[in-house]
Amino acid sequence: KAGVTQTPRYLIKTRGQQVTLSCSPISGHRSVSWYQQTPGQGLQFLFEYFSETQRNKGNFPGRFSGRQFSNSRSEMNVSTLELGDSALYLCASSWQGAVEQFFGPGTRLTVL
Amino acid sequence: GQQVMQIPQYQHVQEGEDFTTYCNSSTTLSNIQWYKQRPGGHPVFLIQLVKSGEVKKQKRLTFQFGEAKKNSSLHITATQTTDVGTYFCAVDGGGSGAGSYQLTFGKGTKLSVIP
């Protein structure tokens, strides 16, 4: 079974721009979560989607948003990029009701 | 929300030595998970502990959940170079809705193994 895929793998943007990241979960997984990983703050939860609905949201500003499509694929959008948004953005999927998260390889975002 | 402190932040060991990382919470946890992230890789689920005092083993890895369910440890016996990576504990912050989870991760312990 194919794992979680994320595109693009690397991205370079400048301050003020916006970016959209994509995540395709493991087939059959309907829950998709997004995390931001930085050396200073570690792994931080952004939000979780299930059946096209955002169920949980972490403590991030409104510039961070996401959505999920009917095929469970998810996108994450960051508007008005700041230097501090440079990070590895990880997507994880899971079975409904299962705690185990299956992570994708991540998208490395660099903001200049 | 839930917070967990993980120590140590870094650990350098000689190959063959043992390694332990600890995760502590000020509140009672419903469960705790452990993940491993290899350099340049992504977190990979290792195990989940649910019961008070639970001990689980995976080959050279031993996972423990404290009696009060406020702390947990991961112990690796006789480390190998393949054990290199960062080990994270993660706790469920209590998402909204049945079957919904919101994981809070510890800062991780970065393990280096000197051959």
Side-chain angles (χ1 to χ4, degrees), chain B residues 41-97:
Chain B
H42 55 274
V44 174
F45 176 83
L46 293 176
I47 209 159
Q48 179 186 234
L49 304 172
V50 179
K51 299 176 184 176
S52 168
E54 188 170 18
V55 178
K56 287 188 177 180
K57 293 191 176 185
Q58 289 179 353
K59 296 182 181 178
R60 294 179 295 103
L61 278 60
T62 302
F63 304 84
Q64 290 190 327
F65 203 5
E67 293 289 342
K69 298 182 76 173
K70 289 185 176 182
N71 57 76
S72 180
S73 65
L74 157 58
H75 179 83
I76 301 178
T77 303
T79 54
Q80 300 175 358
T81 54
T82 52
D83 296 324
V84 163
T86 302
Y87 293 84
F88 295 94
C89 61
V91 298
D92 175 22
S96 61

Side-chain angles (χ1 to χ4, degrees), chain B residues 4 6 23 31-35 88-92 103-106:
Chain B
V4 282
Q6 193 171 352
C23 209
N31 60 71
I32 192 163
Q33 300 178 43
W34 286 93
Y35 288 79
F88 295 94
C89 61
V91 298
D92 175 22
L103 292 184
T104 298
F105 282 79

Side-chain angles (χ1 to χ4, degrees), chain A residues 1-102:
Chain A
K1 195 179 261 191
V4 178
T5 58
Q6 292 187 244
T7 57
R9 293 292 311 279
Y10 303 91
L11 207 47
I12 299 176
K13 292 285 186 179
T14 55
R15 278 182 300 175
Q17 287 187 311
Q18 76 164 20
V19 67
T20 299
L21 312 181
S22 181
C23 170
S24 292
I26 291 172
S27 177
H29 287 191
R30 294 168 63 193
S31 171
V32 174
S33 297
W34 288 88
Y35 296 84
Q36 182 196 63
Q37 186 172 32
T38 59
Q41 298 300 317
L43 270 160
Q44 295 188 87
F45 173 82
L46 280 157
F47 28 64
E48 184 225 359
Y49 286 87
F50 180 82
S51 290
E52 303 177 64
T53 301
Q54 186 183 89
R55 286 201 296 196
N56 298 293
K57 191 176 192 304
N59 293 324
F60 278 81
R63 300 185 297 107
F64 292 81
S65 63
R67 59 178 176 168
Q68 186 180 35
F69 302 94
S70 58
N71 60 0
S72 294
R73 189 177 71 85
S74 178
E75 285 183 349
M76 192 194 106
N77 185 276
V78 188
S79 63
T80 320
L81 284 166
E82 300 177 358
L83 295 179
D85 296 334
S86 294
L88 179 66
Y89 289 89
L90 292 157
C91 162
S93 71
S94 64
W95 293 104
Q96 160 67 353
V99 182
E100 179 179 355
Q101 301 277 300
F102 291 83

Side-chain angles (χ1 to χ4, degrees), chain B residues 6-35:
Chain B
Q6 193 171 352
I7 55 170
Q9 191 175 357
Y10 301 95
Q11 187 81 57
H12 305 276
V13 300
Q14 203 76 34
E15 189 172 17
E17 290 182 339
D18 292 355
F19 158 79
T20 305
T21 173
Y22 301 89
C23 209
N24 299 297
S25 170
S26 58
T27 59
T28 303
L29 305 170
S30 56
N31 60 71
I32 192 163
Q33 300 178 43
W34 286 93
Y35 288 79

